[in-house]
Amino acid sequence: MIIEENHSKKECTNRIIAIHDVMDILNGKWKVSIIACLCFQKMRYTDILKEVKGISGKMLSRDLKELEANLLITRTVVNTQPITVEYEITEYGSTLKKVINVIADWGFEHRKKIIAK
């Protein structure tokens, strides 16, 4: 449903509650970036750490655990020497791809606008 001007106050309140639910799950500086990486391919922990510039190992571990707890990604231990751990977006997590793309598109346009100032 698209936000329209003629929505009632109750509909507005319900939308705000839903947005707060999303923000609670995707809170923090790194989770959206982690999900964006995993939208392209499954990745090992060290690959995500390299791709998401500026994130610490401790923060990455915490965010991966929270994303897994919210069923947005899966963690698979691969029986190799040494043991490898891979992370992959779930089917449910893939439902965020449209949102991630809209955020990225807005970010590209915003950057152009600010640079053009």
Side-chain angles (χ1 to χ4, degrees):
M1 177 184 272
I2 297 174
I3 297 175
E4 298 176 15
E5 289 181 33
N6 62 352
H7 278 275
S8 71
K9 183 175 174 18
K10 182 176 169 120
E11 290 169 350
C12 179
T13 300
N14 288 339
R15 289 225 166 262
I16 291 170
I17 290 169
I19 289 168
H20 284 197
D21 291 344
V22 171
M23 298 308 292
D24 284 344
I25 293 168
L26 299 180
N27 69 343
K29 185 175 180 178
W30 309 109
K31 287 181 185 166
V32 173
S33 297
I34 294 166
I35 292 168
C37 286
L38 295 174
C39 281
F40 291 99
Q41 63 186 352
K42 63 179 150 183
M43 298 176 79
R44 295 182 316 190
Y45 176 89
T46 54
D47 296 329
I48 299 169
L49 194 59
K50 289 176 191 171
E51 189 67 31
V52 180
K53 306 285 188 254
I55 191 170
S56 69
K58 182 178 178 179
M59 185 61 69
L60 178 58
S61 292
R62 191 189 83 181
D63 283 355
L64 288 169
K65 286 176 187 171
E66 289 178 14
L67 291 169
E68 185 180 10
N70 282 295
L71 308 176
L72 299 176
I73 65 170
T74 57
R75 178 182 186 272
T76 305
V77 178
V78 181
N79 192 10
T80 57
Q81 288 295 19
I83 290 178
T84 305
V85 178
E86 293 179 333
Y87 294 90
E88 188 172 11
I89 192 122
T90 63
E91 187 176 330
Y92 179 57
S94 291
T95 62
L96 289 170
K97 284 182 181 180
K98 289 181 191 175
V99 174
I100 300 281
N101 286 330
V102 168
I103 291 170
D105 290 345
W106 189 90
F108 291 138
E109 291 304 314
H110 179 69
R111 186 174 294 260
K112 283 189 229 173
K113 189 175 205 81
I114 295 302
I115 291 172
K117 266 173 103 176

